[in-house]
Amino acid sequence: MKFSFTWAIIIILSVLISGYIFLATWALLTNSELWGYETSQDLFEDSTSVAPVLSSTGALFKAHVIRALPQQEQSWKLASSSSIYPRHSKLNCTKWVVLTTVFEPEPAVFDFFSLPDWCVVVVGDNKTPPNYLELLAKNTPIQNNIARNTIFLDVATQKQLPYQTAAKLPWNHYSRKNVGYLYAIHHGAELIYDTDDDNLLLNPHQIPDSSFSFDQVQTFSSKNSTPTALNLYPYFQPVHKDNQTSIQSIWPRGFPLDSIIQSTSKLSSTINYSGREPSVIQLLQQHDPDLDAIFRLTQPLPVYFQAPSKMIIVPKNSFSPFNAQSTVWRRSSFWGLYLPMTVTGRVS
């Protein structure tokens, strides 16, 4: 009896181990096919689901053309939606600040409400205090401005807006900010300042707008020597704030890791720029700029850029990562205002 019982235990364990190996192998094969390079766009049956695994696949950016846009679709024109959908408010500004938050008003946002000729739309989420505007109004110096130029889109208000995109975006996710872009465009935006509630303006009057001069800028001396993936951070003299030591290797989040050690291209001297005004202008963040996890694990923070105020024009056919913090968008670039909802909020 003892012999039979022992063998029964051994057989059961063998079956369990075999089953585990089979399931693990099946999962591995399934995932390798699902997340491979040939995967179609039909990854998600539920358009509101979030797939964090996509943010950490480890696939390197290769700058390979995967499809071409037909010539007839390359001209993009923004139609006026106010003739189709009535506007939600009487605000009709040409310059808008767009931000989202889940916190009570931070001191960093106060300057946004004092910007002359700017309106502000704050996109709420499930965790955002529903009385956000009341809390904001406790800051006496900006009380009048809030009533004049500010819209807070709480959860209930967002559900009533006529934007089809709003109903497809997940809650508790950074992509809710897309509603703010649509709202600003719907209400007359020609210029959008995309920012976060923890970004303090060093000089509110230095946000590039229609009155900003592009006379003194820099670009690259030779287009032939400019890499496809362009890392602009080193050109602004980054240093570690604590000891003022220069940083030899620094790159923005999203920059291809295999291009970090590439030699920097030579900048031209300051020129009077006469080309087309940039459609997207990324402003640098001091103290805690947009750096990826590899840098944060290997280098100390905070980081500051010591270069005097200047602008660098990214040449044609070069790509430089930028983010949704302190970025100015002109109307000609509004087609690109979209934050992905199928990745984690950090990646979006």
Side-chain angles (χ1 to χ4, degrees):
M1 187 70 181
K2 181 178 180 181
F3 177 82
S4 300
F5 179 76
T6 302
W7 272 105
I9 295 297
I10 293 175
I11 292 172
I12 292 173
L13 289 176
S14 299
V15 171
L16 290 175
I17 293 173
S18 299
Y20 177 82
I21 294 174
F22 171 80
L23 290 175
T25 304
W26 178 83
L28 181 62
L29 292 175
T30 303
N31 283 339
S32 63
E33 180 181 355
L34 179 60
W35 303 116
Y37 294 104
E38 301 302 323
T39 303
S40 71
Q41 63 182 359
D42 300 324
L43 284 177
F44 307 103
E45 295 181 2
D46 180 5
S47 61
T48 62
S49 63
V50 180
V53 69
L54 282 183
S55 66
S56 55
T57 58
L60 294 175
F61 173 71
K62 297 298 184 182
H64 294 159
V65 177
I66 59 174
R67 64 176 178 269
L69 184 66
Q71 185 68 33
Q72 63 269 23
E73 296 182 18
Q74 292 184 16
S75 59
W76 179 83
K77 182 178 180 182
L78 181 66
S80 175
S81 58
S82 59
S83 59
I84 304 174
Y85 301 113
R87 285 178 172 167
H88 174 262
S89 73
K90 295 181 180 179
L91 295 183
N92 185 28
C93 298
T94 58
K95 295 185 289 187
W96 282 82
V97 175
V98 177
L99 61 94
T100 185
T101 185
V102 295
F103 302 108
E104 294 186 1
E106 300 281 350
V109 306
F110 292 161
D111 280 342
F112 300 146
F113 304 97
S114 301
L115 291 170
D117 304 322
W118 287 76
C119 287
V120 183
V121 55
V122 181
V123 184
D125 210 328
N126 285 335
K127 297 179 181 179
T128 311
N131 60 337
Y132 184 88
L133 283 185
E134 296 175 16
L135 296 172
L136 191 63
K138 292 181 179 180
N139 184 271
T140 307
I142 61 174
Q143 281 183 351
N144 294 333
N145 290 342
I146 294 172
R148 176 182 57 83
N149 69 352
T150 305
I151 289 293
F152 171 59
L153 301 178
D154 58 18
V155 172
T157 302
Q158 291 181 52
K159 291 180 178 179
Q160 295 173 359
L161 293 173
Y163 317 139
Q164 295 181 30
T165 301
K168 297 181 180 296
L169 297 172
W171 294 100
N172 300 319
H173 195 273
Y174 195 71
S175 63
R176 296 303 308 179
K177 198 176 191 181
N178 288 314
V179 178
Y181 303 148
L182 292 171
Y183 193 94
I185 295 170
H186 188 188
H187 292 77
E190 297 286 339
L191 200 71
I192 289 178
Y193 178 55
D194 187 4
T195 188
D196 276 351
D197 61 350
D198 58 355
N199 279 238
L200 181 66
L201 293 172
L202 298 179
N203 187 338
H205 302 291
Q206 286 298 312
I207 298 177
D209 59 15
S210 57
S211 63
F212 193 85
S213 173
F214 294 93
D215 291 340
Q216 300 296 308
V217 301
Q218 289 183 282
T219 188
F220 293 86
S221 55
S222 174
K223 293 183 179 179
N224 294 330
S225 63
T226 306
T228 302
L230 187 57
N231 178 12
L232 294 178
Y233 278 8
Y235 297 99
F236 291 92
Q237 302 172 21
V239 298
H240 294 298
K241 183 64 175 179
D242 293 342
N243 52 18
Q244 293 296 311
T245 57
S246 61
I247 302 175
Q248 301 302 318
S249 182
I250 185 173
W251 60 94
R253 189 195 314 272
F255 190 77
L257 296 179
D258 58 346
S259 299
I260 292 174
I261 59 175
Q262 69 185 8
S263 58
T264 55
S265 301
K266 185 179 180 181
L267 275 173
S268 67
S269 57
T270 302
I271 60 173
N272 290 325
Y273 180 69
S274 58
R276 179 183 176 183
E277 290 186 351
S279 296
V280 180
I281 304 170
Q282 170 75 76
L283 308 181
L284 285 178
Q285 296 92 37
Q286 301 283 33
H287 187 78
D288 190 10
D290 197 41
L291 303 165
D292 74 0
I294 302 298
F295 183 91
R296 293 174 182 273
L297 289 171
T298 58
Q299 299 280 350
L301 293 173
V303 168
Y304 283 79
F305 297 96
Q306 286 193 321
S309 180
K310 64 178 180 181
M311 297 188 71
I312 298 177
I313 301 293
V314 177
K316 185 178 179 181
N317 297 325
S318 289
F319 295 87
S320 183
F322 63 98
N323 56 66
Q325 301 179 62
S326 303
T327 307
V328 177
W329 296 76
R330 294 183 179 277
R331 186 180 177 87
S332 58
S333 63
F334 284 175
W335 61 269
L337 273 170
Y338 172 72
L339 294 173
M341 66 179 186
T342 54
V343 294
T344 62
R346 171 64 67 179
V347 178
S348 179

